[in-house]
Amino acid sequence: MKMPLKGSLLAVIAVAAAARVAIPADRMPEGPAGAVLSRALAYAGEDAWKSKTSVEFRKTVTRYKPDGSVERKRVEMHRYRLQPRFGGRIERDEEGKKVLLVNDGYQAWRFVDGQPATTQEDAHAARGATFGSHYVFGMPFKLLDPGVHLAPAGREKLADGTEVEKIRTTYDKGAGDAGGLHTWTYYFDVKTGRLCAAHLNYETDKYDFTEYSDDQSVSGVRIATRRRGFTADATKKTGTLVAETVYDQVRFDVPTPDSMFSPPKP
């Protein structure tokens, strides 16, 4: 699943970022959507996920030009406190500059070569990137966060022949991924519950489609370590490859002191 750079990453709010990992049982929807999600959570390792307090990973994002050539490749280090309160930290290079994004669960900051970037856009970008990346990494567990509404969307066969059950996901305003603005449709393997793909309507008549693959088990949690994002239309027909994201060096329950998510001292 890809989070659009304009829209959801900039619209996420801090109150959603502060949500705990633990999933209350009363948030599981009844009926077909609940049955699909229950299978998905069992496959992904719900019990193991709920026990995790933190995670770190390396994230490599390759963006492609319309002709298929590489436009940019970026390597980032991500660290997140999952509970009792969210905290996020991303370190990366941008055009030879060291960029740090930190989010303490209430406020976010962006630093470039150790100096604060002080515009409101910088703060929004830091908050969106930290929360958005943790949100995507935490699928399908994040589908039971407060303010999420799930509805069954039928069955379908993907291009590779996998039969999937679909869940359509919307959000209350002020919840999750840009609440009230976007609609996601998630695709889960009928046989296993594995999250296979997602279709996103993120603006009027604007869509994308993401494939998930290369699942690996880390400390009891199954993670799709590769995501490929494509342009798409309303019928879910895919176009060109836009970006590929690869996770590696994943570790859970690493130390996450408050200082990790606070602005660096001058």
Side-chain angles (χ1 to χ4, degrees):
M1 181 175 60
K2 176 172 69 66
M3 301 285 284
L5 295 179
K6 292 183 179 179
S8 59
L9 284 185
L10 300 183
V12 172
I13 66 169
V15 66
R20 293 173 61 92
V21 169
I23 299 171
D26 61 0
R27 290 199 192 128
M28 179 65 72
E30 297 180 352
V36 173
L37 186 53
S38 291
R39 243 186 338 268
L41 294 174
Y43 172 87
E46 177 186 6
D47 289 341
W49 172 260
K50 288 193 293 186
S51 73
K52 307 307 182 190
T53 59
S54 63
V55 65
E56 70 174 18
F57 53 83
R58 184 171 66 177
K59 178 180 177 181
T60 302
V61 181
T62 305
R63 297 194 66 86
Y64 296 92
K65 298 177 182 178
D67 64 4
S69 61
V70 174
E71 177 182 350
R72 183 185 74 214
K73 187 173 184 177
R74 177 178 291 164
V75 179
E76 307 174 338
M77 287 302 302
H78 291 239
R79 296 175 179 84
Y80 296 102
R81 180 172 55 207
L82 303 174
Q83 56 179 327
R85 190 181 82 245
F86 173 81
R89 180 185 180 96
I90 300 174
E91 298 170 65
R92 65 192 184 205
D93 287 340
E94 291 183 14
E95 300 177 350
K97 298 181 181 295
K98 298 290 184 182
V99 174
L100 170 65
L101 310 176
V102 289
N103 184 337
D104 67 2
Y106 300 105
Q107 188 174 354
W109 302 267
R110 183 174 187 264
F111 293 83
V112 179
D113 285 338
Q115 299 302 310
T118 58
T119 69
Q120 191 62 42
E121 183 178 352
D122 289 315
H124 283 318
R127 186 173 62 194
T130 48
F131 179 68
S133 292
H134 127 274
Y135 196 92
V136 172
F137 182 85
M139 283 297 166
F141 310 108
K142 302 300 289 181
L143 292 179
L144 285 181
D145 273 9
V148 179
H149 300 277
L150 308 176
R155 290 194 176 194
E156 188 175 318
K157 264 193 177 179
L158 298 180
D160 65 1
T162 302
E163 187 174 4
V164 295
E165 294 176 295
K166 299 180 291 184
I167 295 178
R168 184 172 293 109
T169 307
T170 54
Y171 296 83
D172 290 338
K173 289 185 177 181
D177 161 48
L181 300 177
H182 306 143
T183 300
W184 296 86
T185 301
Y186 294 97
Y187 298 69
F188 298 95
D189 189 311
V190 169
K191 295 180 180 178
T192 65
R194 182 179 76 85
L195 177 59
C196 301
H199 181 254
L200 170 64
N201 176 200
Y202 60 94
E203 289 181 22
T204 303
D205 295 328
K206 290 189 178 181
Y207 306 86
D208 63 32
F209 190 88
T210 301
E211 297 174 348
Y212 297 75
S213 63
D214 297 6
D215 287 20
Q216 295 183 14
S217 182
V218 181
S219 300
V221 179
R222 279 200 180 100
I223 300 161
T225 61
R226 187 180 302 271
R227 294 186 291 108
R228 301 175 77 224
F230 299 84
T231 59
D233 63 15
T235 69
K236 305 175 185 64
K237 180 181 178 181
T238 58
T240 58
L241 176 64
V242 175
E244 182 177 60
T245 299
V246 175
Y247 300 113
D248 66 358
Q249 300 182 15
V250 181
R251 293 198 306 148
F252 286 102
D253 296 328
V254 295
T256 51
D258 288 345
S259 59
M260 181 176 288
F261 311 112
S262 301
K265 295 180 179 179

